[in-house]
Amino acid sequence: MSTAKESQRVIIFDTTLRDGEQSPGASMNLEEKIRIAETLEEMGVDIIEAGFPIASPGDFESVREIAKLVKNSVVCGLARATRNDIDRCAEAIRPAKRGRIHTFISTSPLHMKHKLQMDPERVHEAVIDSVTYARRFTDDVEWSGEDGSRSDHDFLCRCIESAIKAGARTINIPDTVGYAIPDEFAALIRTIINRVPNIDKAIISVHCHNDLGLAVANSLAAVDAGARQIECTINGLGERAGNAAMEEIVMALRTRQDRMPFVSNVKTENIMKASRLVSAVTGFVVQPNKAIVGANAFAHEAGIHQDGVLKHAATYEIMTPESVGLSASKIVLGKHSGRHAFREKLKELGYDLGDNAVEDAFVRFKELADKKKDVFNEDLMALVDDEVVRVNDRVHVIGLDIHCGTKTPPKAELELEIDGVMKSCKATGDGPVDAAFNCVKALIPHEARLQLYQVMAVTQGTDAQAEVTVRLEENGKTTNGQAADTDTIVASVKAYVNALNKLLVKRAKTEPPAMTA
Ligand code: KIV
Ligand code: ZN
């Protein structure tokens, strides 16, 4: 029996690992996807769309591994309206404690004519066939009418009614191209509720893209109109301008209970951790003024604002930093802090690491505390993220010596450990980073193209750690490498080597593992 509270509950469906990964350059490897899935589960996400199993063996494997691991969230796979897709998806989600098949087909005139080249009757038949077939594998089937917001309402309602009759429990209405505006999208949801006779047998979901910057507004308007599932991603990652940002949705619901009396299961205190992780893994930097998770989201620069906040935080803060997982105490540990305090601090920041990982991180923390007077929460998070991305690396940076400045041409001397063997090399370049990267290229010959080289300061001050992201592309495959260090060139080389390590894993699946010069 549903209680009043249940009827106000909004199901959060995260598609960072599926739609988010479809962003050009945002590819993630299996370990990274697993870490993100664990983080999403820990933060209370109801449904994790883990991938599109038919898309590639890697996608299939990650959906399957996540299905094995995740216990509290539903694990969902995406499938087009074909039996092959659905078979593959069903196989991938089979180990899940609770698994969902999400099958979709376009319903707009534009997509049916030009993309599918199918007439509406055939699309309607495919809706019935795909949902009926998917129900052979699980009771939990979601159906989406792609480009729903640009579909003919009569036809969309007919497809929805048939999908529900065939066994779909969730009906998703995507604004695939981010074209809708809030009033119009809310009206579409109301039309569906009023016109589809069996709509009470399904949950209405929405999936909004952000091409006009309206994805969150459209999603919330749809909830007001009766939708009860929102599809979204961490940091708003996703195709083109991205999807609705989960952090914005859950914080809007939490902050404006007076106007939107809906609840989600998401522990908002875990937002920053999830945001950082997704940014680190994909190399997609969060813009400083991004709502909720941007570096400036809780910073008050203007004197008049600072004065107000000091007198009463609510003068300029509508949410507390703590509610999204930012700690009030900014300085965390110093060089005299012990293991116990370190472990406790990691827990407070949401990291639950094994003994070995804590020990490794502790050693690196001590090294950092020797170089840097104040170690902030952000430093610690960068350090732990850095530690985890290096697990299983075949190549490690052992030593780096750089000569540069105005008097001598830039020179680098680099020592790498490659599959347990020490190798070193000297090179020059058009700057210290270029010289160091030339050493890497000499020690590990490769044709990968550097697509992105990005340096960010983790905190303020000239002693801040530099967080570097490197994106490499080889034969259409991209990988992102990340590293943080107080020395920008060291961080750059480590990030390059990290991206290369990931590329080697991708390559190893197709070639023998020869890689040194
Ligand atoms: O944007 C979209 O329409 C989608 C569907 C597959 C749900 O991602
Ligand atoms: Zn989408």
Side-chain angles (χ1 to χ4, degrees):
M1 200 177 45
S2 82
T3 63
K5 257 263 182 295
E6 266 169 45
S7 68
Q8 303 300 87
R9 202 167 83 78
V10 174
I11 298 166
I12 298 295
F13 175 115
D14 180 277
T15 183
T16 306
L17 297 173
R18 199 278 298 169
D19 212 317
E21 211 217 6
Q22 283 174 219
S23 299
S27 68
M28 311 171 203
N29 65 28
L30 179 61
E31 289 75 31
E32 291 165 341
K33 286 186 181 175
I34 288 175
R35 271 188 80 204
I36 291 176
E38 285 172 344
T39 304
L40 294 172
E41 180 181 33
E42 191 189 321
M43 77 193 286
V45 164
D46 300 289
I47 298 143
I48 298 173
E49 187 164 54
F52 192 0
I54 196 103
S56 71
D59 254 58
F60 175 85
E61 192 191 2
S62 44
V63 176
R64 202 172 158 82
E65 290 309 308
I66 290 167
K68 286 184 197 160
L69 274 172
V70 167
K71 297 288 172 262
N72 301 322
S73 314
V74 173
V75 177
C76 174
L78 184 69
R80 286 168 300 190
T82 70
R83 292 191 174 206
N84 276 351
D85 271 45
I86 294 169
D87 282 338
R88 197 81 176 129
C89 184
E91 185 58 23
I93 61 154
R94 197 143 57 99
K97 194 166 163 215
R98 289 185 297 149
R100 171 178 295 192
I101 296 176
H102 175 191
T103 180
F104 73 100
I105 190 164
S106 293
T107 49
S108 69
L110 207 67
H111 276 221
M112 289 189 289
K113 181 166 180 207
H114 299 289
K115 186 181 111 169
L116 299 176
Q117 294 174 338
M118 281 164 82
D119 64 43
E121 281 319 304
R122 278 189 55 218
V123 169
H124 181 249
E125 280 161 25
V127 172
I128 299 171
D129 187 61
S130 57
V131 174
T132 309
Y133 189 64
R135 276 297 302 259
R136 289 194 193 175
F137 304 100
T138 172
D139 288 347
D140 192 349
V141 172
E142 170 172 333
W143 177 78
S144 284
E146 192 185 0
D147 207 16
S149 57
R150 294 193 299 170
S151 299
D152 172 74
H153 290 189
D154 286 342
F155 181 65
L156 182 62
C157 288
R158 187 169 157 232
C159 288
I160 293 172
E161 184 180 350
S162 298
I164 297 173
K165 252 190 218 148
R169 281 193 181 166
T170 303
I171 296 295
N172 184 41
I173 311 299
D175 181 27
T176 303
V177 290
Y179 181 72
I181 57 171
D183 273 3
E184 177 192 32
F185 198 54
L188 172 59
I189 302 301
R190 281 192 208 98
T191 300
I192 291 167
I193 293 172
N194 292 334
R195 285 216 213 148
V196 176
N198 53 359
I199 196 68
D200 58 313
K201 302 202 169 46
I203 301 272
I204 301 179
S205 166
V206 289
H207 175 112
C208 298
H209 279 269
N210 205 29
D211 300 65
L212 293 174
L214 292 170
V216 170
N218 283 334
S219 305
L220 294 174
V223 168
D224 194 41
R228 285 295 177 271
Q229 175 177 292
I230 299 181
E231 303 199 353
C232 48
T233 57
I234 299 289
N235 297 340
L237 199 68
E239 286 266 19
R240 305 181 312 280
N243 289 68
M246 190 215 286
E247 63 277 8
E248 296 178 22
I249 284 166
V250 295
M251 286 313 291
L253 292 180
R254 180 176 161 155
T255 308
R256 294 306 309 270
Q257 279 289 296
D258 57 328
R259 297 303 297 260
M260 297 184 288
F262 306 103
V263 288
S264 84
N265 273 343
V266 171
K267 294 182 196 119
T268 61
E269 293 75 13
N270 291 32
I271 283 176
M272 279 314 296
K273 183 184 163 198
S275 167
R276 277 197 58 91
L277 176 62
V278 169
S279 169
V281 161
T282 57
F284 278 48
V285 171
V286 173
Q287 78 195 54
N289 57 331
K290 160 86 176 62
I292 317 294
V293 291
N296 292 351
F298 291 90
H300 304 281
E301 187 66 29
I304 189 167
H305 288 202
Q306 285 174 351
D307 181 55
V309 168
L310 288 173
K311 285 180 178 143
H312 195 301
T315 50
Y316 287 99
E317 271 180 11
I318 58 166
M319 316 161 252
T320 64
E322 292 80 8
S323 64
V324 303
L326 286 167
S327 173
S329 63
K330 280 250 166 196
I331 297 175
V332 288
L333 301 169
K335 66 193 227 175
H336 301 298
S337 306
R339 275 183 183 71
H340 183 70
F342 181 72
R343 188 187 282 272
E344 286 307 305
K345 191 73 214 176
L346 290 186
K347 274 199 202 141
E348 186 191 312
L349 293 173
Y351 292 99
D352 188 14
L353 305 182
D355 288 346
N356 289 347
V358 171
E359 196 48 41
D360 291 347
F362 185 67
V363 171
R364 295 203 52 218
F365 155 68
K366 284 286 178 182
E367 286 167 9
L368 180 64
D370 268 340
K371 290 189 217 157
K372 195 171 183 293
K373 198 165 118 269
D374 297 325
V375 178
F376 298 91
N377 286 347
E378 289 85 348
D379 287 316
L380 227 42
M381 288 156 112
L383 188 145
V384 177
D385 289 343
D386 203 56
E387 195 66 40
V388 183
V389 293
R390 246 155 282 291
V391 176
N392 304 329
D393 278 1
R394 286 170 63 187
V395 185
H396 296 270
V397 177
I398 303 299
L400 176 67
D401 199 15
I402 294 283
H403 293 271
C404 63
T406 52
K407 293 188 178 153
T408 50
K411 259 190 275 172
E413 187 170 351
L414 177 68
E415 196 180 359
L416 296 181
E417 187 193 300
I418 305 173
D419 287 336
V421 180
M422 292 296 180
K423 304 253 174 186
S424 66
C425 146
K426 288 182 190 171
T428 54
D430 292 335
V433 175
D434 191 47
F437 284 10
N438 285 341
C439 287
V440 179
K441 284 179 206 148
L443 292 172
I444 309 171
H446 58 274
E447 296 300 319
R449 275 188 327 111
L450 183 67
Q451 277 196 331
L452 175 83
Y453 169 66
Q454 174 178 275
V455 184
M456 302 275 293
V458 172
T459 55
Q460 289 167 348
T462 49
D463 68 344
Q465 290 195 86
E467 193 163 54
V468 178
T469 306
V470 165
R471 182 172 303 143
L472 296 177
E473 186 269 328
E474 188 181 69
N475 301 327
K477 290 179 182 148
T478 57
T479 55
N480 290 301
Q482 274 257 340
D485 199 284
T486 46
D487 185 318
T488 308
I489 317 293
V490 171
S492 303
V493 173
K494 284 186 173 171
Y496 194 106
V497 167
N498 183 234
L500 213 45
N501 270 302
K502 293 180 188 172
L503 209 55
L504 294 171
V505 174
K506 289 199 174 180
R507 253 198 222 166
K509 293 187 177 161
T510 48
E511 284 173 17
M515 61 181 187
T516 56

